[in-house]
Amino acid sequence: MSPATVEPKPSAKGDELILTETDGNVGILRINRPKVLNALNPELMTMLATQMEAFDTDPKIHVILLAGSERAWAAGADIGDMAERSTFEMYQRDQFATWDRIARIKKPIVAAVSGYALGGGCELMMMCDIVVAADNAQIGQPEINLGVMPGAGGTQRLTRAIGKALAMDVILSGRTLSAKEALDAGLVSRVVPKEHWYSAALKLAQELAKKAPLALQLAKEAVLKAHELNLSQGILHERKLFYMLFATEDQKEGMRAFAEKRKAVFKGR
Ligand code: CAA
């Protein structure tokens, strides 16, 4: 059953780079530079990382929803901001270091992706945990057409996500993948009709927000380790996290509720 269409709330002020709101236990962030298709400049990325960290430490927030607009999730890093910079300037300001702060967020991040997810937009999408893509999504790493290459993790995360053959094709040719191709390749996990691009992702975030928050966070941590550790290290890490959850009230509640044939009520402790 498709979710009812819920439009994101309009911006109260027109000039905020990131729009922030909460919906129950979901913290919602929306990228808001419509005139440049949500191009990601350093100021915006610093705000995004700061807002995410605020949600990450707020016990009322269990899940983060990150959305762009219907036309564009994000069309890349801001080309105008980089075009005339020297190697030294790029190295010294190291703009992509800020992005690492988003990779360290512990709570699950659901991405609501509609329209363009290109370059840095694709890289930001890959830093999220579950991607809900609208059927109009166009996803790719077109940096090659600018005489450069992905610089915010694209060559690494895309290759891990979809394998060398397709990653090499996408990165060297600069072509975009449709939502269907991205789904088939395992780059996104759900594709929805474009009119539900936001409501479907919000519904998913709300569903996740009802799960035990610590289990969500540790499960996210374990899955991400699969990219970094070898199999036996990853399994050992997973096992320790699994045992750790037995220190939580939510584990007792979840397993008792199952035995008592009722719905578990998790408290986040
Ligand atoms: N940076 C800055 N401005 C951008 C932008 C970007 N990444 N993408 C789009 N814009 C701006 C355009 O310059 C344009 O501004 P003006 O109205 O002032 O001319 C506005 O957004 C609308 O864009 P278009 O008129 O081009 O819209 P379109 O519908 O004809 O095309 C598009 C859409 C195919 C996405 C096209 O805008 C495009 O190709 N954008 C660039 C995509 C790209 O190369 N991204 C990679 C950036 S580099 C990077 O991300 C490095 C990294 O690894 C982090």
Side-chain angles (χ1 to χ4, degrees):
M1 198 177 69
S2 52
T5 305
V6 179
E7 289 297 321
K9 287 182 195 149
S11 163
K13 288 183 254 161
D15 57 349
E16 298 156 295
L17 298 174
I18 300 290
L19 306 175
T20 309
E21 62 183 290
T22 58
D23 183 339
N25 298 114
V26 178
I28 302 171
L29 299 169
R30 281 189 293 132
I31 306 164
N32 185 41
R33 288 188 82 202
K35 288 188 184 136
V36 286
L37 304 182
N38 287 344
L40 306 167
N41 66 9
E43 189 190 354
L44 183 152
M45 290 307 295
T46 301
M47 286 180 70
L48 182 60
T50 303
Q51 295 286 5
M52 278 211 183
E53 285 165 353
F55 280 151
D56 213 28
T57 51
D58 179 347
K60 291 192 294 300
I61 299 301
H62 299 180
V63 175
I64 298 168
L65 175 67
L66 178 58
S69 68
E70 191 177 339
R71 186 169 174 215
W73 156 263
D78 190 322
I79 299 167
D81 174 69
M82 295 183 289
E84 301 306 325
R85 292 193 188 274
S86 67
T87 294
F88 180 70
E89 279 178 295
M90 290 301 284
Y91 180 75
Q92 197 177 43
R93 79 171 183 163
D94 195 9
Q95 67 192 67
F96 298 132
T98 311
W99 298 46
D100 295 340
R101 289 168 59 192
I102 294 169
R104 286 195 291 270
I105 296 296
K106 295 194 178 86
K107 292 177 183 170
I109 308 169
V110 174
V113 175
S114 176
Y116 300 111
L118 300 175
C122 179
E123 289 164 314
L124 179 63
M125 183 193 89
M126 290 190 288
M127 295 171 88
C128 299
D129 302 306
I130 303 184
V131 180
V132 178
D135 56 12
N136 70 343
Q138 293 183 50
I139 303 171
Q141 299 283 164
E143 290 90 340
I144 202 78
N145 298 327
L146 300 169
V148 289
M149 57 178 277
T155 61
Q156 305 304 299
R157 289 198 176 91
L158 193 66
T159 308
R160 283 166 168 79
I162 66 178
K164 179 199 159 191
L166 190 54
M168 201 65 100
D169 181 342
V170 166
I171 290 168
L172 298 193
S173 73
R175 77 177 172 101
T176 54
L177 299 174
S178 66
K180 165 89 172 63
E181 284 175 292
L183 182 70
D184 291 347
L187 186 56
V188 308
S189 60
R190 301 181 186 208
V191 173
V192 297
K194 70 175 185 315
E195 58 273 23
H196 298 310
W197 72 276
Y198 184 78
S199 53
L202 179 60
K203 185 168 177 269
L204 172 63
Q206 282 163 339
E207 269 172 34
L208 299 188
K210 293 193 190 95
K211 315 276 181 205
L214 279 165
L216 281 177
Q217 288 178 41
L218 296 195
K220 165 175 172 164
E221 179 182 325
V223 173
L224 289 177
K225 286 287 181 212
H227 276 172
E228 310 209 3
L229 302 177
N230 69 31
L231 183 61
S232 51
Q233 289 168 329
I235 286 174
L236 198 59
H237 186 74
E238 175 197 80
R239 194 170 301 160
K240 285 180 180 165
L241 296 180
F242 180 78
Y243 296 152
M244 233 172 100
L245 287 171
F246 285 72
T248 64
E249 288 178 28
D250 284 347
Q251 173 270 324
K252 297 286 172 293
E253 164 64 8
M255 292 193 177
R256 281 173 193 155
F258 176 79
E260 292 163 14
K261 301 193 186 307
R262 62 175 174 81
K263 215 168 158 29
V265 181
F266 296 117
K267 297 197 174 126
R269 51 181 194 251

